[in-house]
Amino acid sequence: MTVLTESFWLWQFLGRLHPLMVHFPVGLLCVALLLEIIGWSRKSTDLRAGITALLWIGAGSSVLAAVFGLILINQEEYGGDTVTVHQWSGLATMALAIGTVLALRSGRVALYRSLLFLTVFGVTIAGHYGALLTHGEDYLTSVLPFGKEKSPSTTDPNLAFISNTNQPLTDKQIEDLNLEVRSILAHNCYSCHSATKTKGELRLDKKELIFKGGEHGEILKPGHPEDSDLIRRVKLPAGHDDAMPTKGKRLTDKEIAVLEFWIKQGAPWPSGTEKSIYRVASLEPRMPAVPAATGDLTNPIDRFVNVYFQQHKITWKAPVDDRTYQRRVYLDVIGLLPTPDKVKAFLADPRPNKRELLVTELLNRNEDYAQHWLTFWNDALRNDYSGTGYITGGRFDITKWLYTSLKTNKPYNLFVKELISPNKESEGFIKGIKWRGTINSSQSTEMQAAQNVSQVLLGLNLKCASCHDSFISDWKLADAYAFANVFSDTTLEIHRCDKPTGKLAGRAILFKELGTINANAPTEERLRELANFLTQPKDGRLYRTLVNRVWAQLMGRGLVEPVDEMDREPWSQDLLDWLAADFTANGYDIKRLMAQILTSKTYQLPSISIKDPALLTAPTFVFEGMVRRRMSAEQFADAVSLAFNPIYGDSSLAEKRLPETIKQEMPFPRASLVKNDPFLTALGRPNRETVSTSRASQANLLQALELTNGAKFNAALKQGAQIWKAKYPTSDKLVHDLYWKALGREPLPKELAVAEKIVGKTPNIEGIQDLVWAISLHPEFQLIN
């Protein structure tokens, strides 16, 4: 298989085209079979010609589907009996489709009819097993009556008592049952029946209001679910005038059973403070004991992961080879590829601790480190070099402050203090963007500050609560306004869904355990208080959020995911807590934290591939190693620039916003230092008008088009091809050097032959450009493996 056909975007394209090539023939062949059954006896020449055309097209599509499937089966990581049945049923269908066409062409009517029926049956089987692969084993049974959820007692151990209705409930069982009921109501009913919106005068977010009912009277009769209007309505079919919820997903059988059981028990409600229906992560720090070392697992991270692996019956895999590790750590620490000389030296280095020494060396390349990590922090802190607000003076950049902070490895507690209680160079973060014209009240600059500080630094979403009481957490509208008022020179009036309420919220920190803001102090003093409160060692949430973000950048997935929802369950609470507590105890040093992760056996495990991005945030996620991911837009641009030819020139630099010494500190114009453009946008760089703490790693059509036809990329390749042609009179030397620069290895004999054929015996510009394009789109180049 040639280098050209192995380009990364092509697999993405074939992966999406393959199921279409299955659906297409099944439709055509079914139509042909139907027409045959209905119309053959009429002996219509036109009909027979139409059927013949359908069969030819259907047979051709089945051949293409089989070919694409055979290509993809060698590139993807599907496995098991399902893929085997899908593969062989597809090949059998292809053979049957060809046989059907040949039988029709030879006039053997009986054989033709039999083969047509078998072909339709075969393509249906192949399609079914293909759907099992792409949509899950229960894609069909889940929508059938016998495929519905089991009763609560068999799916939730905390609700096992539901199956036993003869015994009185304990206080603990009442609390668990009540929590489940409130969770069901919150996720299905609060959008219409809460303080924010109260349809039919009915509220379901408070005990006394649930029992009060709405404009049509009481909705439940304790002890009698069969007479309760709540149960009647949730059981009605979708579309019925009285059915609830009126829109969206209906309640499951399990949820209805829980509500019925609760009402049958008298609709009990525990006294005292209600437990939150949402998981709320602990605020205070925690230093768990480090598990005992075993064998070569001495790094504390590995010792925690070893306990996790034992619990999940996962066996440690052998670490990646030196070339893979070196490339991985180069891209993660400084965002650049290792040069051929560095690769050869590292591979030849006999020292047993050479990986630890490499990490130290890279972390000490302060300018390269700052230029790479500037991308992550620019995304998170909404810092860009151009865009909304700069022309009107309603936005301020923090580039020089941020670059210097990264270059000097500023302690994180001081970093945060200077963002919240800023100097002139760092004030852009909490100043936000002053939008032109009339804006929603939830987007005032003060509310932006509250939202962005809470999201970036504390890993919580305050955006819903900036408009109304949140449906996804316990945060209220008043909480959001009280926090926004800390940043405000005036006291903001509360607006619910952009409508003024006439109420004021005062001033308060989100987590009141951290301290009390002096509401009457000047803004500057309040911000200083807030900065000091948030950076206290006892604010475990601040430091858990940071170590989780660093872990996610290096490992492809956070200990908590999504990284902006820190109230979610981590896959290892002990590891998260230990990393945060150790980080706090050792000077808030981000580079030290990174070194711990980068030198761990855990980081050195082989990468794993995740087919469906949704699996990364699923509660069932099981950690096995670093998640394989694509380079970021900036990493890709820099890799091409270093391996072949710079994509950007000095004129592209955002020079006015960068430190005066920047040209002396960069090896070439790095993509993190240039203004956004269509090339970087297509490859995933956000516009930075909203906080962005992670980027999608999946390729998409826009990226494929930009890398195929984009002016910026093609111009850089063409210019580079001219330079390389002048430098390399023979293709052999050119191909070897290109492979070493781009992939850090010699080309394989087959690759060398193909590459020399593309370039030509005497290198030509078009051939060089094609070869570089093919290599730069190759998975080995694009993926951090």
Side-chain angles (χ1 to χ4, degrees):
M1 189 163 300
T2 67
V3 175
L4 282 171
T5 57
E6 289 183 0
S7 56
F8 187 50
W9 67 267
L10 185 57
W11 301 131
Q12 300 287 327
F13 180 69
L14 291 181
R16 287 158 174 75
L17 192 59
H18 175 64
L20 294 179
M21 300 308 298
V22 175
H23 297 153
F24 194 54
V26 73
L28 292 177
L29 294 170
C30 286
V31 171
L33 180 61
L34 181 63
L35 291 175
E36 174 65 30
I37 294 171
I38 296 174
W40 184 264
S41 59
R42 300 174 188 171
K43 306 295 183 182
S44 167
T45 303
D46 291 340
L47 182 60
R48 188 176 302 182
I51 293 175
T52 303
L54 289 175
L55 291 175
W56 275 106
I57 297 172
S61 298
S62 67
V63 172
L64 286 175
V67 171
F68 289 166
L70 287 173
I71 294 174
L72 289 167
I73 195 65
N74 294 315
Q75 301 298 322
E76 302 289 351
E77 296 181 3
Y78 295 116
D81 294 338
T82 300
V83 73
T84 302
V85 174
H86 174 59
Q87 181 181 7
W88 285 107
S89 60
L91 293 172
T93 299
M94 177 188 71
L96 287 169
I98 295 171
T100 302
V101 171
L102 294 176
L104 178 63
R105 188 175 183 182
S106 64
R108 301 171 67 178
V109 176
L111 178 61
Y112 152 72
R113 289 176 174 174
S114 299
L115 288 176
L116 178 59
F117 175 80
L118 290 174
T119 302
V120 172
F121 178 75
V123 79
T124 303
I125 295 297
H128 169 70
Y129 278 90
L132 290 179
L133 288 172
T134 56
H135 297 293
E137 297 287 341
D138 64 343
Y139 89 100
L140 187 59
T141 57
S142 63
V143 300
L144 298 175
F146 53 79
K148 293 188 177 181
E149 296 183 62
K150 297 178 181 179
S151 65
S153 60
T154 60
T155 58
D156 188 345
N158 289 330
L159 301 175
F161 57 83
I162 287 181
S163 60
N164 183 5
T165 59
N166 297 322
Q167 298 293 328
L169 300 182
T170 65
D171 291 344
K172 177 64 168 60
Q173 289 172 338
I174 290 175
E175 183 177 322
D176 289 340
L177 177 60
N178 178 256
L179 192 63
E180 183 71 12
V181 168
R182 288 164 52 218
S183 297
I184 293 170
L185 297 178
H187 291 107
N188 295 279
C189 310
Y190 280 9
S191 59
C192 292
H193 301 290
S194 66
T196 301
K197 187 176 182 180
T198 309
K199 292 183 66 175
E201 300 178 13
L202 175 64
R203 282 182 58 177
L204 301 175
D205 55 340
K206 296 290 182 182
K207 172 184 176 181
E208 60 275 11
L209 298 175
I210 293 174
F211 287 95
K212 176 184 176 184
E215 64 181 4
H216 298 298
E218 296 180 348
I219 61 167
L220 61 86
K221 184 177 180 181
H224 300 278
E226 70 281 0
D227 296 331
S228 297
D229 196 46
L230 173 65
I231 301 301
R232 179 185 72 85
R233 287 177 178 267
V234 297
K235 282 187 170 183
L236 288 172
H240 192 285
D241 289 344
D242 290 345
M244 293 293 172
T246 55
K247 298 177 182 178
K249 187 182 68 168
R250 307 286 296 160
L251 267 66
T252 64
D253 288 348
K254 168 191 168 181
E255 291 169 331
I256 294 174
V258 170
L259 293 176
E260 287 183 312
F261 179 81
W262 174 64
I263 295 174
K264 190 171 184 178
Q265 295 298 309
W269 204 286
S271 58
T273 304
E274 292 181 355
K275 185 178 178 181
S276 174
I277 61 176
Y278 307 102
R279 183 181 187 274
V280 180
S282 297
L283 178 68
E284 64 276 3
R286 171 177 168 261
M287 176 63 89
V290 179
T294 57
D296 62 347
L297 301 178
T298 56
N299 185 310
I301 292 172
D302 297 329
R303 291 151 72 173
F304 282 109
V305 172
N306 188 48
V307 171
Y308 176 86
F309 277 1
Q310 290 174 349
Q311 292 170 346
H312 290 81
K313 296 179 173 57
I314 297 171
T315 303
W316 283 88
K317 297 182 178 68
V320 295
D321 59 47
D322 283 343
R323 179 180 285 106
T324 301
Y325 177 79
Q326 183 189 34
R327 186 178 187 274
R328 181 188 291 184
V329 79
Y330 257 79
L331 287 169
D332 280 342
V333 176
I334 62 173
L336 298 173
L337 296 177
T339 63
D341 289 344
K342 290 289 188 180
V343 174
K344 293 171 185 176
F346 186 69
L347 295 179
D349 189 344
R351 292 176 294 181
N353 65 335
K354 66 180 181 179
R355 295 192 177 190
E356 290 79 3
L357 294 173
L358 174 62
V359 169
T360 300
E361 175 195 336
L362 292 175
L363 288 171
N364 286 334
R365 289 173 59 171
N366 297 326
E367 290 82 7
D368 291 335
Y369 167 85
Q371 289 158 24
H372 170 55
W373 281 87
L374 190 66
T375 291
F376 168 75
W377 286 107
N378 276 342
D379 286 359
L381 302 177
R382 301 203 311 178
N383 182 59
D384 215 341
Y385 311 128
S386 61
T388 303
Y390 284 117
I391 295 175
T392 60
R395 188 178 187 182
F396 305 90
D397 80 294
I398 60 172
T399 308
K400 292 180 181 178
W401 172 87
L402 180 55
Y403 182 82
T404 303
S405 297
L406 295 173
K407 181 180 170 182
T408 59
N409 193 32
K410 184 173 290 178
Y412 186 65
N413 62 334
L414 182 57
F415 182 91
V416 172
K417 281 184 178 181
E418 291 181 7
L419 282 173
I420 296 176
S421 178
N423 55 40
K424 195 66 179 174
E425 284 195 328
S426 63
E427 68 179 0
F429 175 57
I430 63 166
K431 287 278 188 180
I433 301 174
K434 191 175 292 184
W435 305 100
R436 298 180 66 179
T438 304
I439 61 164
N440 188 291
S441 57
S442 65
Q443 283 302 301
S444 65
T445 54
E446 298 88 353
M447 189 60 79
Q448 287 180 52
Q451 294 169 354
N452 297 340
V453 167
S454 61
Q455 181 179 352
V456 176
L457 304 180
L458 299 172
L460 67 88
N461 181 354
L462 206 62
K463 292 179 180 177
C464 291
S466 303
C467 189
H468 50 72
D469 289 351
S470 176
F471 297 142
I472 60 173
S473 70
D474 288 324
W475 296 110
K476 306 300 183 186
L477 183 63
D479 297 324
Y481 269 87
F483 192 43
N485 277 331
V486 176
F487 303 91
S488 178
D489 294 331
T490 62
T491 302
L492 303 175
E493 180 186 1
I494 295 176
H495 284 62
R496 176 175 284 114
C497 298
D498 211 29
K499 295 180 180 178
T501 64
K503 298 178 181 178
L504 302 177
R507 293 186 169 102
I509 193 170
L510 287 174
F511 296 97
K512 297 176 176 58
E513 305 96 309
L514 297 175
T516 303
I517 296 291
N518 182 353
N520 298 319
T523 304
E524 185 176 346
E525 185 177 330
R526 292 198 305 272
L527 294 179
R528 190 159 46 247
E529 286 183 343
L530 176 62
N532 289 331
F533 288 150
L534 287 182
T535 55
Q536 295 174 97
K538 71 176 184 178
D539 184 4
R541 187 176 185 113
L542 176 74
Y543 302 114
R544 287 189 189 97
T545 301
L546 183 277
V547 299
N548 188 60
R549 293 199 190 286
V550 173
W551 182 279
Q553 288 298 303
L554 300 178
M555 302 296 292
R557 199 262 190 202
L559 292 153
V560 177
E561 194 70 29
V563 291
D564 291 335
E565 298 180 24
M566 287 301 292
D567 286 315
R568 289 209 180 193
E569 190 87 36
W571 59 259
S572 174
Q573 185 70 60
D574 282 350
L575 177 55
L576 176 64
D577 289 346
W578 182 86
L579 283 170
D582 182 73
F583 176 73
T584 305
N586 287 278
Y588 310 94
D589 187 339
I590 293 179
K591 285 189 176 181
R592 180 184 177 278
L593 167 67
M594 290 178 62
Q596 284 180 308
I597 299 172
L598 296 168
T599 57
S600 68
K601 300 292 183 186
T602 303
Y603 178 81
Q604 298 175 51
L605 287 169
S607 63
I608 61 170
S609 177
I610 301 292
K611 296 295 178 187
D612 183 359
L615 295 175
L616 289 174
T617 57
T620 54
F621 172 83
V622 176
F623 174 79
E624 296 181 68
M626 188 196 89
V627 176
R628 191 175 308 144
R629 59 198 188 277
R630 284 188 310 111
M631 292 180 184
S632 68
E634 291 83 356
Q635 284 172 320
F636 177 80
D638 288 349
V640 173
S641 297
L642 193 59
F644 185 59
N645 183 61
I647 289 181
Y648 293 99
D650 286 348
S651 60
S652 299
L653 291 170
E655 200 166 348
K656 291 182 179 179
R657 304 196 186 278
L658 297 167
E660 292 73 14
T661 58
I662 193 66
K663 286 186 178 180
Q664 291 76 49
E665 297 180 358
M666 62 182 186
F668 55 86
R670 296 193 62 174
S672 65
L673 308 176
V674 304
K675 295 179 181 180
N676 207 358
D677 61 14
F679 176 71
L680 294 174
T681 298
L683 269 63
R685 178 159 147 179
N687 65 15
R688 293 170 177 159
E689 291 181 1
T690 58
V691 168
S692 178
T693 53
S694 59
R695 297 187 188 179
S697 186
Q698 286 66 43
N700 58 46
L701 183 59
L702 177 60
Q703 293 163 11
L705 293 173
E706 184 66 31
L707 293 175
T708 304
N709 298 309
K712 174 71 70 177
F713 189 49
N714 279 318
L717 295 190
K718 184 174 182 179
Q719 182 188 54
Q722 293 169 342
I723 297 171
W724 278 58
K725 182 181 185 301
K727 183 178 179 181
Y728 295 94
T730 63
S731 59
D732 179 81
K733 175 65 172 169
L734 183 151
V735 172
H736 276 83
D737 280 9
L738 180 59
Y739 265 78
W740 270 108
K741 285 174 175 287
L743 303 178
R745 63 173 176 84
E746 289 278 359
L748 300 174
K750 185 178 179 182
E751 292 172 326
L752 179 60
V754 172
E756 289 181 341
K757 185 176 180 181
I758 294 172
V759 173
K761 291 184 179 179
T762 302
N764 62 82
I765 291 174
E766 291 76 14
I768 297 172
Q769 188 174 348
D770 284 346
L771 178 60
V772 176
W773 176 82
I775 290 178
S776 64
L777 267 65
H778 194 289
E780 187 178 347
F781 182 82
Q782 286 211 350
L783 297 179
I784 301 177
N785 205 340

